[in-house]
């Protein structure tokens, strides 16, 4: 019996895929089809798949051409599969011509003709897209635009910055068609808005965009009071639009897996979370301007608040802040949260440097995430018996913003029906902690 194997993502299954499977099947008596997992696709840079692995497998199954379906989940698996299943022929489309010649050592390699005029990429482009407008054209917006290029179904159509010279320059540099002169002009050209303006302007911009019926992705920190956060979520609900906060860590693959692992109790009960984010910053920076809501807390606190809330919940009894001040802003703040059965703390700094790692301690072991933990691709679970220790690696592609963009776009296109990586309540609670800090509740100056 001649066994043939072929692999693919098979997203938005189309006639090109069907023809390829038929041609592959005709090469032998038994066809094995490898379908890539969602994670493996992410790792090899395919951010855009519309169907999940189960849907893609079902589509291959429905052709009736596959005698066996296997999951492809890691680089190098093809050699293992060829040996494991006793494969005679490896077949793949001619777009891969030459690439898989190294498999000739293990079996025959055949490149089959590709079907012209159809592809998953083309089908994805024909689907509905999100027309995104940018408010704010600073450094994070720069990174955002290049990251958005890697995400499907989104197009940046317009940008706005009250400084029209800067705005025009930004739009020219990034090939954005329209440099809007006003918010109204911006709203006419988009159905969703990314807000990357200075912190203190977030509330007004988010409110205005939501009231105009736009979906909103707002940069961190979201807003600085509980009532403002609640009000904005209420407007989003009333207007039936998506409101998301762009806390990039929440959307990265490593953080997502860390979350699932800890919920499955790999370190038992969690008793302590400690995380720190410090970036030494020039004293003349706007980030240290007290009139512009500058300071270490407003700049960085949302990052450590994320794992604290995710792993210990939001029912802490109290929080104490210890700050080193200069020119009316905190150059450094340590916060300590008292929970009934746990304690959490974080350090944030713009004028003080600490190790930027995170540790989560539990009754059976602990997790160590090295600096910079907020954009990590790696962490370790450690135990008393070191033989049980495990290292986990996850891809972190580019600046890491593409994950949040992908989730936002998917959320908008599915009318907000998707699970949100960071919840409304978590965002409201973060605003509440910022508010408490600004009001000086339990604040001790060093
Ligand atoms: N294909 C084709 N004609 C098209 C489009 C795709 O013959 N118009 C073929 C591809 O050449 C491939 C198969 O269909 O053999 C699956 O294509 P994709 O789903 O795009 O998967 P791909 O990224 O090529 O994955 O490591 C190799 C991968 O597993 C193959």
């Amino acid at each position: 019996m001649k066994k043939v194997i072929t692999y693919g993502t098979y997203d938005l299954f189309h006639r090109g895929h069907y023809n390829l499977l038929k041609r592959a099947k005709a090469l032998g008596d038994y066809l094995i089809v490898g379908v890539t997992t969602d994670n493996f696709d992410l790792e090899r840079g395919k951010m855009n798949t519309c169907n999940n692995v189960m849907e893609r497998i079902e589509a291959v199954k429905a052709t009736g051409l596959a005698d066996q379906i296997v999951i492809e989940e890691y680089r190098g698996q093809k050699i293992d599969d060829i040996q494991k299943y006793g494969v005679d022929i490896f077949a793949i489309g001619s777009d891969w011509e030459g690439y898989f010649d190294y498999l000739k050592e293990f079996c025959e390699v055949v490149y089959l003709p590709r079907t012209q005029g159809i592809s998953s990429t083309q089908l994805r482009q024909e689907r509905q897209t999100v027309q995104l407008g940018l408010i704010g054209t600073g450094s994070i917006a720069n990174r955002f635009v290049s990251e958005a290029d890697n995400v499907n179904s989104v197009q940046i159509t317009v940008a706005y910055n009250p400084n029209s010279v800067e705005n025009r320059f930004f739009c020219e540099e990034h090939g954005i068609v329209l440099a809007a002169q006003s918010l109204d002009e911006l709203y006419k050209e988009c159905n969703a808005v990314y807000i990357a303006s200075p912190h203190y302007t977030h509330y007004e911009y988010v409110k205005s965009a939501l009231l105009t019926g736009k979906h909103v992705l707002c940069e961190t920190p979201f807003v600085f009071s509980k009532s403002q956060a609640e009000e904005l979520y209420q407007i989003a609900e009333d207007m039936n639009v998506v409101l998301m906060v762009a806390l990039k860590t929440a959307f990265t693959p490593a953080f997502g897996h860390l979350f699932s692992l800890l919920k499955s109790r790999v370190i038992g009960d969690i008793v302590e979370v400690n995380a720190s984010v410090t970036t030494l910053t020039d004293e003349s920076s706007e980030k240290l301007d007290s009139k512009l809501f500058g300071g270490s807390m407003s700049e960085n606190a949302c990052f450590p608040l994320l794992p604290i809330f995710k792993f210990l919940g939001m029912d802490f009894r109290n929080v104490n802040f210890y700050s080193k001040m200069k020119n009316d802003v905190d150059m450094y703040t340590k916060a300590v949260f008292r929970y009934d059965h746990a304690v959490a703390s974080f350090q944030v700094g713009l004028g003080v440097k600490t190790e930027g790692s995170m540790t989560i301690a539990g009754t059976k072991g602990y997790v160590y995430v090295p600096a910079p933990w907020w954009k990590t691709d790696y962490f370790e679970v450690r135990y008393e018996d070191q033989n049980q220790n495990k290292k986990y690696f996850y891809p972190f592609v580019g600046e890491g913003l593409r994950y949040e963009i992908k989730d936002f776009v998917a959320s908008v296109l599915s009318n907000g029906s998707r699970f949100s990586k960071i919840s409304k309540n978590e965002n409201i609670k973060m605003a509440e902690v910022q508010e408490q800090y600004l009001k000086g509740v339990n604040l001790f100056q060093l």
Side-chain angles (χ1 to χ4, degrees), residues 134-155:
L134 307 189
I135 297 183
T137 58
S139 70
I140 184 84
N142 261 303
R143 280 180 273 157
F144 185 93
V145 176
S146 40
E147 288 274 300
D149 275 350
N150 297 283
V151 181
N152 221 64
S153 309
V154 61
Q155 205 189 349

Side-chain angles (χ1 to χ4, degrees), residues 248-305:
K248 67 178 177 190
T249 309
F251 301 89
T252 59
F255 191 82
H257 285 100
L258 175 62
F259 177 77
S260 318
L261 273 179
L262 291 179
K263 291 289 165 193
S264 66
R265 301 183 47 78
V266 289
I267 58 167
D269 295 332
I270 298 174
V271 177
E272 178 173 4
V273 175
N274 177 263
S276 116
V277 180
T278 59
T279 11
L280 282 184
T281 302
D282 194 272
E283 277 191 31
S284 61
S285 160
E286 281 190 359
K287 290 181 180 175
L288 285 168
D289 189 333
S290 63
K291 287 186 260 354
L292 304 179
F293 279 88
S296 310
M297 274 294 291
S298 54
E299 192 63 34
N300 287 335
C302 54
F303 290 101
L305 282 172

Side-chain angles (χ1 to χ4, degrees), residues 83-322:
Q83 291 177 331
K84 186 159 136 196
Y85 301 114
V87 167
D88 301 289
I89 301 175
F90 168 86
I92 196 100
S94 54
D95 44 326
W96 292 96
E97 186 78 52
Y99 187 88
F100 288 109
D101 285 358
Y102 69 91
L103 293 175
K104 284 183 180 163
E105 201 183 321
F106 306 94
C107 68
E108 191 183 333
V109 172
V110 177
Y111 297 100
L112 292 165
R114 231 178 112 83
T115 306
Q116 296 306 310
I118 181 118
S119 71
S120 305
T121 309
Q122 183 191 328
L123 291 176
R124 283 191 292 258
Q125 277 160 1
E126 284 165 8
R127 284 159 68 102
Q128 207 189 345
T129 60
V130 173
Q131 316 271 306
L132 192 64
L134 307 189
I135 297 183
T137 58
S139 70
I140 184 84
N142 261 303
R143 280 180 273 157
F144 185 93
V145 176
S146 40
E147 288 274 300
D149 275 350
N150 297 283
V151 181
N152 221 64
S153 309
V154 61
Q155 205 189 349
I156 297 176
T157 45
V158 56
Y160 170 75
N161 173 345
N163 180 330
S164 59
V165 178
E166 265 179 38
N167 194 28
R168 223 174 311 120
F169 182 75
F170 181 89
C171 289
E172 269 165 28
E173 201 185 340
H174 292 289
I176 297 172
V177 181
L178 183 67
Q181 302 279 347
S182 67
L183 282 178
D184 284 341
E185 197 181 352
L186 174 111
Y187 294 147
K188 280 196 194 103
E189 297 301 319
C190 62
N191 58 358
V193 171
Y194 168 60
I195 294 172
S197 55
H199 313 334
Y200 64 98
T201 63
H202 285 178
Y203 169 72
E204 291 299 337
Y205 281 135
V206 174
K207 189 170 173 177
S208 140
L210 291 174
L211 286 171
T212 321
K214 306 297 168 193
H215 303 282
V216 171
L217 177 63
C218 178
E219 252 316 318
T220 59
F222 176 35
V223 287
F224 293 96
S225 84
K226 184 182 177 202
S227 61
Q228 285 186 346
E230 284 174 339
E231 182 195 352
L232 294 176
Y233 272 104
Q234 189 57 52
I235 300 174
E237 221 169 289
D238 295 345
M239 297 299 292
N240 199 19
V241 290
V242 173
L243 169 57
M244 250 173 70
V245 176
L247 182 47
K248 67 178 177 190
T249 309
F251 301 89
T252 59
F255 191 82
H257 285 100
L258 175 62
F259 177 77
S260 318
L261 273 179
L262 291 179
K263 291 289 165 193
S264 66
R265 301 183 47 78
V266 289
I267 58 167
D269 295 332
I270 298 174
V271 177
E272 178 173 4
V273 175
N274 177 263
S276 116
V277 180
T278 59
T279 11
L280 282 184
T281 302
D282 194 272
E283 277 191 31
S284 61
S285 160
E286 281 190 359
K287 290 181 180 175
L288 285 168
D289 189 333
S290 63
K291 287 186 260 354
L292 304 179
F293 279 88
S296 310
M297 274 294 291
S298 54
E299 192 63 34
N300 287 335
C302 54
F303 290 101
L305 282 172
L306 173 75
I308 292 174
F309 290 175
K310 286 283 181 203
F311 304 138
L312 294 177
M314 291 178 280
D315 288 332
F316 53 89
R317 286 201 175 251
N318 62 38
V319 49
N320 286 345
F321 303 101
Y322 304 89

Side-chain angles (χ1 to χ4, degrees), residues 28-40:
D29 312 299
Y30 188 85
L31 177 66
I32 305 173
V33 181
V35 181
T36 50
T37 62
D38 299 330
N39 263 339
F40 183 49

